[in-house]
Amino acid sequence: MKDRVIAIDGPAASGKSTIANAIAERLHIPYINTGGMYRAVAWHVAKHGVNADNINEDALREMLASLTLDYVADNSGKYEIRVNGEFPGEQLRTPEITALSSPLSAIPAVRTYLLERQREFAKLGLIVMEGRDIGTVIFPNARYKFFLTASPEERARRRLCQNGEVVDGATLESVAKEIAQRDLQDSSRPVAPLKQAADAIPIDSTGLEISQVVDRILDRIRSHYSTYRVSYGDTDQMGVVYYANYLEFFERSRTEMLRDAELPYRKLEELGYYLPVSEVNCKYFSSARYDDLLTFKSWVSEIGNVRMVIATEIYCGEKRLVRGLVTLACVNTKGRPCRIPEVLANACPIISL
Ligand code: DC
């Protein structure tokens, strides 16, 4: 079983917090900023006289033993970090705490301490968790993984616009240098270095609006993507995909979607549900030919009482070739209509973009 986690990793100032927060709001699910936890440790130990030059793992271990970190939901459902009963809030974002959190995050005792706390959040149901190692170490089995980047200049520009996060008199150049140094520290440390998980979807947000990045991520969460190379059997004598074969493509795409959502037809049948096709609507825009590499994209566009509609779009490169809406009826072992089971509704979230 995959963990019900949307992991968003990436380097400093790549827009992770803004994006992760927006995703959580759109999906009405909790958002956990793990960078805030490293900053909270920095805030706690700084009070005990720790700075970047005198870090000692044994002393830190003792300090961690007297640390209680938790998240408290406010009235709007937003989670705020609490450190030994206090809410540090904006104090976690000062340049001093930012600078101390990076070397602290390279200390194994700190990472082990936070790893356990971070994994506990899985019991909240679907969550968005943001950091450096969520998709690689904390939840390597997360259902959704994204790796957010942006050019160094753009990240420096964004950081400079965030009041209180840079020292007085900071310039684009000095901020870019500070970010580059943190990138180097975060990605070259031996434990849980910042790196893209092999199965994470990379998103470069340079030049994109926040809403564009959010929509791109939401599209990947709701949709199943796969590729398919057109064979001879799919085409007519002219080498053009025979129109009725798109129905098979739709079927192939939605079968894979259900399988990847860990609810293959076989499992549904074991539970006593069958999903026969009851209606198909198709709109053709352009034709596909022998040997074209196609992209299939499917998502659940509607769930009713006893039926669901699955949309499939087929692309060749950027060009959309066809769009299909397939209605599946839900029937029981006696062939009578029955309610769409909750497992099915939960497996494929409906997200309007
Ligand atoms: O995302 P941020 O800037 O708030 O993170 C602060 C520091 O914490 C950053 O320098 C790297 C570290 N960090 C980490 O090592 N692993 C995480 N999952 C999150 C943050």
Side-chain angles (χ1 to χ4, degrees):
M1 267 287 260
K2 294 250 179 194
D3 292 308
R4 300 191 64 212
V5 172
I6 301 169
I8 302 188
D9 289 307
S14 56
K16 297 185 303 288
S17 303
T18 311
I19 301 299
N21 211 348
I23 302 279
E25 266 177 22
R26 287 277 287 274
L27 300 180
H28 306 289
I29 56 175
Y31 157 56
I32 312 298
N33 172 350
T34 59
M37 300 172 99
Y38 286 90
R39 289 165 183 269
V41 170
W43 187 71
H44 173 69
V45 302
K47 283 189 182 172
H48 289 76
V50 174
N51 60 51
D53 301 319
N54 67 0
I55 294 174
N56 170 299
E57 188 161 8
D58 288 333
L60 281 177
R61 225 176 254 122
E62 264 177 45
M63 290 175 207
L64 291 173
S66 66
L67 172 62
T68 308
L69 270 192
D70 55 1
Y71 274 85
V72 184
D74 68 11
N75 290 340
S76 62
K78 271 211 162 69
Y79 282 78
E80 193 171 349
I81 196 160
R82 188 164 62 177
V83 186
N84 286 349
E86 276 185 77
F87 291 99
E90 287 305 303
Q91 294 174 56
L92 296 186
R93 308 216 57 93
T94 62
E96 296 74 29
I97 294 300
T98 302
L100 180 58
S101 62
S102 181
L104 279 178
S105 67
I107 307 292
V110 173
R111 299 210 77 86
T112 311
Y113 173 86
L114 290 180
L115 176 135
E116 285 164 22
R117 265 137 213 95
Q118 287 161 9
R119 286 200 178 146
E120 281 166 13
F121 286 109
K123 62 174 182 258
L124 292 179
L126 185 64
I127 55 168
V128 181
M129 188 173 270
E130 172 227 313
R132 304 287 191 290
D133 61 341
I134 310 308
T136 49
V137 175
I138 308 298
F139 290 110
N141 205 19
R143 169 101 187 261
Y144 310 102
K145 295 184 188 179
F146 299 94
F147 194 83
L148 212 55
T149 55
S151 70
E153 301 76 37
E154 176 126 354
R155 287 158 59 205
R157 226 179 350 261
R158 288 178 189 165
R159 185 58 27 115
L160 207 52
C161 295
Q162 288 169 321
N163 282 335
E165 295 209 14
V166 289
V167 290
D168 289 342
T171 61
L172 199 61
E173 229 179 10
S174 69
V175 176
K177 208 167 140 204
E178 182 264 325
I179 290 178
Q181 186 181 350
R182 213 142 64 89
D183 278 357
L184 184 69
Q185 280 173 356
D186 293 344
S187 50
S188 59
R189 65 184 179 218
V191 269
L194 165 71
K195 75 165 196 263
Q196 186 183 324
D199 53 350
I201 296 170
I203 296 188
D204 183 347
S205 67
T206 312
L208 294 180
E209 300 282 334
I210 293 169
S211 62
Q212 289 175 303
V213 180
V214 170
D215 280 352
R216 211 171 271 194
I217 290 180
L218 288 174
D219 174 58
R220 299 303 298 222
I221 292 174
R222 75 164 185 173
S223 312
H224 179 273
Y225 281 82
S226 57
T227 52
Y228 176 79
R229 176 120 9 224
V230 175
S231 75
Y232 272 125
D234 304 317
T235 64
D236 61 17
Q237 312 90 301
M238 308 291 285
V240 174
V241 172
Y242 187 57
Y243 74 96
N245 283 347
Y246 286 109
L247 302 191
E248 264 183 55
F249 292 172
F250 296 161
E251 164 130 41
R252 177 188 287 266
S253 182
R254 70 172 178 272
T255 303
E256 285 183 19
M257 178 180 72
L258 289 172
R259 197 197 54 213
D260 277 12
E262 296 178 337
L263 208 60
Y265 282 122
R266 182 183 38 76
K267 193 157 159 192
L268 278 167
E269 286 171 16
E270 276 164 22
L271 294 168
Y273 299 103
Y274 296 83
L275 296 173
V277 172
S278 69
E279 192 182 326
V280 179
N281 284 291
C282 205
K283 191 164 171 73
Y284 299 100
F285 303 103
S286 191
S287 52
R289 303 186 152 270
Y290 168 68
D291 209 33
D292 278 349
L293 184 64
L294 305 181
T295 301
F296 296 170
K297 169 181 167 184
S298 283
W299 68 97
V300 176
S301 71
E302 214 184 304
I303 289 197
N305 254 347
V306 295
R307 53 173 213 123
M308 69 194 288
V309 181
I310 297 187
T312 299
E313 286 181 340
I314 298 180
Y315 293 82
C316 184
E318 295 289 301
K319 195 156 76 175
R320 186 170 60 167
L321 307 179
V322 57
R323 180 189 163 94
L325 289 174
V326 176
T327 304
L328 303 175
C330 186
V331 300
N332 61 19
T333 45
K334 297 197 177 90
R336 300 226 173 84
C338 64
R339 259 180 188 282
I340 296 280
E342 217 162 278
V343 275
L344 182 55
N346 288 340
C348 309
I350 296 189
I351 300 171
S352 54
L353 296 180

